[in-house]
Each structure stands twice: as C-alpha cells, then as structure tokens.
Amino acid sequence: MDTIYSDGYHIYFNNVVDELIRFIKNGGYSRFFVLTDENTSEHCLPVIKEQLDELGNYDVIEINAGEESKNIDFCIGIWRMLVDFEADRKALMVNLGGGVVTDMGGFAASTYKRGIDFVQVPTTLLSQVDASVGGKTGIDVEGIKNIIGTFTQPKAVFIDVAFLQTLPERQILSGLAEMLKHGLILDAEYWQKLKDSDLKQPSAELIHHSVVLKNKVVLEDPKEKNIRKSLNFGHTIGHAVETWSLTHDSNPLTHGEAIALGMICEGYLAHKKSGLKAEELEEIVSVIDSLYPRYSFKHSIYEELYSIMLKDKKNFDGKVNCTLLSVIGQFSIDNVCTKEELFEALDYYVNR
Amino acid sequence: MDTIYSDGYHIYFNNVVDELIRFIKNGGYSRFFVLTDENTSEHCLPVIKEQLDELGNYDVIEINAGEESKNIDFCIGIWRMLVDFEADRKALMVNLGGGVVTDMGGFAASTYKRGIDFVQVPTTLLSQVDASVGGKTGIDVEGIKNIIGTFTQPKAVFIDVAFLQTLPERQILSGLAEMLKHGLILDAEYWQKLKDSDLKQPSAELIHHSVVLKNKVVLEDPKEKNIRKSLNFGHTIGHAVETWSLTHDSNPLTHGEAIALGMICEGYLAHKKSGLKAEELEEIVSVIDSLYPRYSFKHSIYEELYSIMLKDKKNFDGKVNCTLLSVIGQFSIDNVCTKEELFEALDYYVNR
C-alpha cells in the first residue's frame, strides 16, 4: 500500500514500526514522550517497546481509557507531566492510542510551550480512518465533544493494522461506520466493495482506501469551509445522540454506533430533502441494521438532543446545518434542517 | 501616526474607537463578546459602551484583574461562558484589557471551536507595546508563565493611548521597561530619545515607535526561530524573578520591574560575554535605577531561580540561553550562560 502524502506530512502503512523508529531517530528531538491509555500500554506499547528502549531518553504518560478522559483535567495532567519532565520545545510527543489519545495528545502538544511536534500512532480502526488524519485536535468541555481544540497537523502518522487484532469487535464496528460514511459521501464503488466484504474484519486495503478518501477531502479544505463538511454526514444527529448517551447511559454508545444511527436519520432527511431515492435509503438502512444494534430512546429526549445540536461547532445563528446525500457516493452540504424535520428523522429511526 | 501593518492585520493608532466599531460592524460576525477585567470594566468599557450598545448582540465576560487570574481555571470559565452564550464559529472576541486579558482572551478564542476571531484592545502600556503585537497567546500553568498557548494572530489591534490616563504610575513603568528594551536591542537613537523624555508619561509617538520596532521583529520571525529571540533580552533572569515573586511576595513585582532587574543582570552578562562596554552598562544601570525601586532578594533563592530558568520555553537541553547586547542598539542571541555566570549576574544586581 502506498504511503499517503498529506498536508506537509506522510501517512505510513508499511513497516510502520521501523518507520516510526527511523522518524524519531532522525528528527533531532531532545527527547520524546509516548502518550498511552491503559489499553495501549498493555497491548500496543509492548510491540514497540524494545525498539523504543534502544532510542533511550523517553517517558511514558498514561491516561485512563475512554471518552470521559478526554477532558481538561487529563489535559492539564499531561501538561504538568511535560513540565515536570522538563520537556523543551524540541521534544516530541508520540500519541499511541485511539481517538482520545490522538485528539487530546495532539491538543496538549499543540499548546505546550505554544506547540511541540507530535506524531499519531492510531491503534483503533476509528482513529486510523478518522481521528488521525486531518489535523483536528481537541478535548471535551462541559460534555461537549471537541469544543476546545486547534487545527494542527502532526509531523507523521503511522497506521499499523496489526494493532487491530487485539481490538474487540464492537470497536471495529465503531471505526467501520466512518468507512461506510466515506463510501456513502464520496465513492459509490467503494460502498459497493464494503457491502461485499466481511465487515467485521475489514482488510488493510479497505482501511487504506478510507484514509485516501478522507485525506483528499481535508487536503482540499483543511479548515472546513466547504467540502470538508461532507465528512459531517451522520454527525449532526449522531453527535447529539452520542453526547446524550455519554452522560445518561451506563454503557454508552460508541462513536460509530451513534454515527450509524445518525446516518439512518440523515439518510432519511436526504431522501426527504436532497434527492436520495427510497431504495438507496433502504439499502443504507439495511446494511447498518445488519451490523449495529438498535438503540432505543424516547420522544421526551428530542428537545435535549436538539439543544445539543444547536451547540455543535458546525451550526450558526441558531440553525442546524446537515450534510446529506443526493445519491449514494455524492454529498450535499449546508442543508438547513428545521426542528420539525430533525424530530421526524428521529421518529423514522425509532419507528421503522 | 501611521497605521501599522502586521502579519495579516492592522494596528490602529488614530480614532481607534471608531475603527473598532467599524471593524465589528463590517466583519459579518454573528455576535461579539467583550472580555474585560474589573479594572477595564470600570475605566475602559464605559468609554466605548455607548457605541457598542448601538451595535447590539454582545455580552461582557469579566475576569479578575491580576496575573494570578491568567490560569486554566479562568480560561475554562471563559470557554464555559462562550458555550452558555452559544457562541458559534462566527463569533468575535474583543479583548479589552492588559496582558492578562489579551493573552488569555487570545488563547481562549484561538482554541474555542478550534478558533474564533479575536481583536486586541490593549489598555495598559505594557500590553500596548508588548503583549498585543506578535500573535502570542498564553496562560500560566503551575505558576509557569505562558507555558500553555498558541501562535495565533488577532484580526486587528486598536491602541488608544487615552486609556493610559487612568493607569497608575507603577503600571506605566511596567510597560516602559519593554520600551527601554526595544531601544537597547534595536535602536540606539530611540534609546537616546527615551532617556531625554519624561518617562513617567511617555508620548504617543514614543509608544508608536516601540510598536513599529516590535512589529518589524515579529514579522521577520513570527515563530521565534532567530531574531525574535532579541525580544528576550532581560527576560531570562527577569521572568524567573517575576515567577518567584508572584508566588512569594504579597505585593509581587510587575512584569516591567522584573524585566528592568533582568536587564541589569543580563547587561552585566553582556559586558562579560558579548562586548558591551563598561560605560554602556553603567548608562543602562543608571537609567533603570532612576526609574525602578531596588528589589531585594537573598542568595538562598538563586538555586530556585535557576530551576525556573531551566523550565523556560526558550531553553533546551538543560542549558540556559540568553539574549545579550554587543553595543547599545544591537543584540546578540543564543549566548549559553552557565549557572555560575547567572549567579554572578544576580550578585552584580544585589551588590552594586
């Protein structure tokens, strides 16, 4: 698989551990820090530890696993560790983990001493096909996802599909939702290919193609002025349900489960508003239903979901903007959806 | 006085309130927020309030005055207010205050929803000649000044010397230290002019010239790779003493008082290491002594000061780097100073 060139940095797919070691060795860094969570400390760090040890002069900073760690308190913890370890401006941060580690590690690095270098080593399917590409860093504040962050590019991304072998199936499915989205918004042929594959074990080639697709979009529109908004398909309603679930459910939805739900709702809106045919909507719903459990929620939470949508970064002037589809493989941005339409879309999910 | 053009934005000196109002009106913002502290709420906001009210759709966020407010807790407070007021990505932040307000307001804006626009309306001499120009934003963590921040340019800077009329003399002198520094590192003629002026009430022309000088430096080297380091003269020792004083004195040193002290120490190092003549050092010391009170501290704190210097953003590899002078009006960067030399410089200040 080809190495992908992004906005000033490379995304490596082959011999990634060797490439990572070479990168650190030749980067002229004063020292480096590996940010992990409990899971990647146990399952991923050991894979590279021997080679890291040969480089010397590094420390590991571990955070708790899970989206609820992606907050300012953990971020302050990382900053403090960097201060205590006397990290200077020539230090490097290696973010080894899922989206929480790559997003928060990227934010901590991009603001420590007004910015030190960082690289992403995403270890979940979700972070490989989504979080680690595109230069968005972020943390949650007041339970609002990624409300605080920066646009800062990593110096390199290292994607090793071998890390996925220890990942629970539910986490694979979480990343898969973003892959399905890439097909739906950008590439009908890829969507077809995905449908014909064993989606509980997506191949390295499929993962690589998702990164190629996402990278094309963010290269063309890094600050989300226009076509990058395509990536928000399923995310307006999906993010709101995810946020709600995070604060209300003992076993909250994964990101991908929420986005899958969001794609059904926004697929419905696409059918109502932007020309998606009924049979295409049915096809989308049937693929998603075959992979993801049904989430049950009541009409009484709709108002709260709507108020979360209004606080979303993507929305302005008290209006909710959705990215929809015109056909499978083509997106349509900036569709203003009324409260009534959004509620109807939620009803569609619940009652179908 | 000429409007100054900086890195993508203007620094206005004339009819500044009108310019500010025009900027907000024509910027296409969804709404705006004015960040103030207790002092600027009382003394500065009333000056522009009537005109702001005519624009409508804005809120005031007030923080406590003083460097001890420039921390992550207040910053979180600002983020929360922006969330609660439902500020979207097209909102504008107007930072009306001294360096604490402009630095922290800039940081909060540059990270809220991955960055909203902000403008600086510096109301102290220090922030007019220093903090508001150059795109550095920041907050203090663990008492280390500006350890967390970003490089983000404001959309405009509005410098109104009328705001200085309500400023206590001690605050004028705090800003003056940076003006003296500008002369010492860059412009011997300007240094001469400053010496011949009533420095307790510096003229608008002198202030303007300081901004011209600083702007030239930051335009040439925005990320502090080389010549921007010139601005660190007096700051290696000055920052350490300032940090120490902030956590130990009930009435801590102002920034300028600490920098004035630092310029004496680093002037001494310049004499020892980079060619500054004895009579030039004496001239610098005599000007500073005529303006600033002597600060007394004991040899027993030197080690602690040294450990603060090592944590400074500007230092690498456990070495302390100083910007010195070769003659008055010319700087010399990247002078590694040993612990012994730094202690000798502190002795020079204490024993002269």
Side-chain angles (χ1 to χ4, degrees):
Chain A
M1 287 165 297
D2 292 342
T3 295
I4 299 172
Y5 190 68
S6 189
D7 187 5
Y9 62 95
H10 288 94
I11 305 168
Y12 297 95
F13 278 85
N14 308 311
N15 307 316
V16 284
V17 178
D18 293 344
E19 293 286 2
L20 170 67
I21 298 298
R22 193 173 309 134
F23 180 93
I24 299 173
K25 209 170 183 170
N26 300 335
Y29 293 106
S30 57
R31 61 189 300 174
F32 65 100
F33 296 88
V34 183
L35 183 69
T36 63
D37 65 20
E38 300 142 306
N39 296 332
T40 56
S41 275
E42 189 185 334
H43 297 294
C44 305
L45 189 56
V47 178
I48 56 174
K49 194 171 178 309
E50 200 175 314
Q51 283 174 274
L52 290 181
D53 287 350
E54 280 173 26
L55 295 172
N57 207 16
Y58 79 99
D59 285 286
V60 175
I61 301 176
E62 185 185 301
I63 59 168
N64 294 356
E67 181 77 26
E68 57 281 12
S69 308
K70 197 172 154 186
N71 59 38
I72 188 68
D73 294 324
F74 273 95
C75 186
I76 294 170
I78 298 169
W79 286 333
R80 288 210 164 125
M81 297 278 275
L82 291 171
V83 169
D84 291 345
F85 285 130
E86 296 181 356
D88 63 28
R89 271 187 178 164
K90 290 180 182 162
L92 172 72
M93 186 105 117
V94 177
N95 299 317
L96 179 72
V100 171
V101 166
T102 58
D103 283 5
M104 182 155 67
F107 179 68
S110 73
T111 51
Y112 179 73
K113 297 195 175 185
R114 297 202 184 92
I116 60 172
D117 283 0
F118 63 97
V119 296
Q120 307 290 40
V121 189
T123 59
T124 63
L125 182 57
L126 180 60
S127 59
Q128 291 186 348
V129 298
D130 188 32
S132 66
V133 181
K136 285 186 177 178
T137 77
I139 55 170
D140 307 340
V141 169
E142 299 224 308
I144 304 173
K145 282 176 62 77
N146 297 321
I147 187 80
I148 301 303
T150 60
F151 283 104
T152 313
Q153 303 299 337
K155 292 296 166 190
V157 177
F158 303 89
I159 296 184
D160 192 343
V161 294
F163 285 133
L164 306 182
Q165 282 159 15
T166 57
L167 213 61
E169 185 184 288
R170 194 176 172 207
Q171 292 303 321
I172 295 286
L173 286 169
S174 182
L176 181 67
E178 295 288 349
M179 295 173 67
L180 295 172
K181 182 195 75 181
H182 293 146
L184 287 173
I185 57 174
L186 296 165
D187 189 339
E189 201 182 312
Y190 179 56
W191 164 256
Q192 206 54 50
K193 227 182 247 170
L194 286 170
K195 272 174 49 189
D196 297 340
S197 308
D198 172 8
L199 288 180
K200 297 189 174 168
Q201 287 184 307
S203 68
E205 285 66 30
L206 289 172
I207 294 170
H208 182 267
H209 191 69
S210 253
V211 177
V212 168
L213 289 174
K214 174 158 188 194
N215 187 50
K216 259 190 202 160
V217 170
V218 299
L219 270 183
E220 207 169 312
D221 175 24
K223 292 278 181 85
E224 201 167 313
K225 304 285 182 198
N226 42 69
I227 78 152
R228 187 167 183 164
K229 291 182 188 171
S230 66
L231 299 170
N232 295 331
F233 176 61
H235 281 61
T236 301
I237 291 177
H239 252 177
V241 173
E242 183 183 9
T243 301
W244 193 89
S245 172
L246 271 175
T247 46
H248 291 82
D249 294 333
S250 59
N251 179 20
L253 289 175
T254 64
H255 179 68
E257 285 162 356
I259 295 320
L261 179 162
M263 290 194 291
I264 290 180
C265 297
E266 294 173 31
Y268 173 81
L269 290 170
H271 171 54
K272 296 290 275 189
K273 290 172 67 84
S274 63
L276 188 73
K277 289 197 191 116
E279 51 278 25
E280 292 179 296
L281 172 60
E282 275 160 35
E283 182 183 327
I284 296 168
V285 171
S286 120
V287 170
I288 291 174
D289 274 343
S290 73
L291 293 163
Y292 298 91
R294 193 76 76 99
Y295 183 62
S296 67
F297 54 96
K298 298 221 169 80
H299 197 285
S300 55
I301 73 164
Y302 285 16
E303 284 289 345
E304 204 176 329
L305 293 177
Y306 183 67
S307 102
I308 300 172
M309 291 179 218
L310 286 177
K311 287 186 181 160
D312 195 299
K313 286 186 296 302
K314 297 182 282 291
N315 294 322
F316 301 104
D317 275 345
K319 286 188 189 115
V320 175
N321 249 298
C322 290
T323 295
L324 303 177
L325 306 175
S326 47
V327 294
I328 286 178
Q330 276 181 33
F331 61 86
S332 149
I333 60 171
D334 290 336
N335 296 279
V336 174
C337 295
T338 64
K339 191 169 159 180
E340 289 66 35
E341 288 169 330
L342 294 161
F343 283 15
E344 202 183 311
L346 290 165
D347 276 341
Y348 174 76
Y349 179 87
V350 172
N351 299 329
R352 81 186 182 286
Chain B
M1 287 165 297
D2 292 342
T3 296
I4 299 172
Y5 189 68
S6 190
D7 186 5
Y9 63 95
H10 288 94
I11 305 168
Y12 297 95
F13 277 84
N14 308 311
N15 307 318
V16 284
V17 178
D18 292 344
E19 294 284 4
L20 170 66
I21 299 297
R22 193 172 310 135
F23 180 93
I24 300 174
K25 209 169 183 172
N26 299 336
Y29 293 105
S30 57
R31 61 190 298 173
F32 66 101
F33 297 89
V34 183
L35 183 68
T36 63
D37 66 21
E38 301 142 309
N39 297 331
T40 57
S41 275
E42 188 184 335
H43 297 294
C44 305
L45 188 55
V47 177
I48 54 175
K49 193 171 179 310
E50 201 175 315
Q51 282 175 273
L52 291 181
D53 288 349
E54 280 173 25
L55 296 173
N57 207 14
Y58 80 99
D59 285 286
V60 175
I61 301 175
E62 185 186 300
I63 59 168
N64 293 357
E67 182 77 25
E68 57 282 11
S69 309
K70 197 173 155 185
N71 60 38
I72 188 67
D73 294 325
F74 273 96
C75 185
I76 294 170
I78 297 170
W79 286 333
R80 288 209 165 125
M81 298 278 276
L82 291 172
V83 170
D84 291 346
F85 285 131
E86 296 182 354
D88 63 29
R89 271 187 177 161
K90 290 181 182 161
L92 171 73
M93 186 106 118
V94 177
N95 299 317
L96 178 72
V100 171
V101 166
T102 58
D103 283 6
M104 182 156 65
F107 179 67
S110 73
T111 52
Y112 179 72
K113 297 196 174 184
R114 297 202 184 94
I116 60 172
D117 284 359
F118 63 97
V119 296
Q120 307 291 40
V121 189
T123 57
T124 64
L125 182 57
L126 179 60
S127 59
Q128 291 186 348
V129 298
D130 189 31
S132 67
V133 181
K136 286 186 177 178
T137 76
I139 55 170
D140 307 341
V141 170
E142 299 225 306
I144 305 174
K145 281 176 62 75
N146 296 323
I147 188 78
I148 302 304
T150 60
F151 284 104
T152 312
Q153 303 299 337
K155 292 296 164 191
V157 177
F158 303 89
I159 297 184
D160 192 342
V161 295
F163 285 132
L164 306 182
Q165 283 159 14
T166 57
L167 213 61
E169 185 184 288
R170 195 176 171 205
Q171 292 303 320
I172 294 287
L173 285 169
S174 182
L176 182 68
E178 295 289 349
M179 296 172 67
L180 294 171
K181 184 196 75 181
H182 292 145
L184 287 172
I185 58 174
L186 297 166
D187 190 339
E189 199 181 312
Y190 179 56
W191 164 256
Q192 206 54 49
K193 228 182 247 172
L194 286 170
K195 272 175 46 188
D196 297 340
S197 308
D198 172 9
L199 288 180
K200 297 188 174 171
Q201 288 184 307
S203 68
E205 283 68 29
L206 289 172
I207 294 170
H208 183 268
H209 191 69
S210 253
V211 177
V212 168
L213 289 174
K214 175 158 187 193
N215 187 49
K216 259 190 203 161
V217 170
V218 298
L219 269 184
E220 207 169 313
D221 175 25
K223 291 279 182 87
E224 200 166 314
K225 304 284 182 198
N226 43 69
I227 78 152
R228 186 166 184 165
K229 292 183 187 170
S230 66
L231 298 170
N232 296 331
F233 176 60
H235 281 60
T236 301
I237 292 177
H239 252 177
V241 174
E242 182 183 10
T243 301
W244 193 90
S245 172
L246 271 175
T247 46
H248 291 81
D249 295 332
S250 59
N251 179 20
L253 290 173
T254 64
H255 179 69
E257 285 163 357
I259 295 319
L261 178 163
M263 290 195 289
I264 291 180
C265 297
E266 294 172 31
Y268 173 82
L269 289 170
H271 171 54
K272 296 290 275 188
K273 290 173 68 84
S274 62
L276 189 73
K277 290 197 191 120
E279 51 274 30
E280 291 178 297
L281 172 60
E282 277 161 35
E283 181 181 327
I284 295 168
V285 172
S286 116
V287 169
I288 290 173
D289 274 342
S290 73
L291 292 163
Y292 298 92
R294 192 77 75 100
Y295 183 62
S296 68
F297 55 94
K298 295 223 169 79
H299 197 284
S300 55
I301 73 162
Y302 285 16
E303 284 288 347
E304 203 177 328
L305 294 177
Y306 183 67
S307 103
I308 300 171
M309 290 179 219
L310 285 177
K311 287 185 181 158
D312 195 299
K313 285 184 297 301
K314 298 182 283 289
N315 294 320
F316 302 104
D317 276 344
K319 286 187 189 115
V320 175
N321 249 298
C322 289
T323 296
L324 303 177
L325 306 174
S326 48
V327 294
I328 285 176
Q330 276 178 34
F331 62 87
S332 149
I333 61 170
D334 289 336
N335 296 278
V336 174
C337 295
T338 64
K339 190 169 159 178
E340 291 66 35
E341 288 169 332
L342 293 161
F343 283 15
E344 203 182 310
L346 289 165
D347 276 341
Y348 173 76
Y349 179 87
V350 171
N351 300 329
R352 80 187 183 288

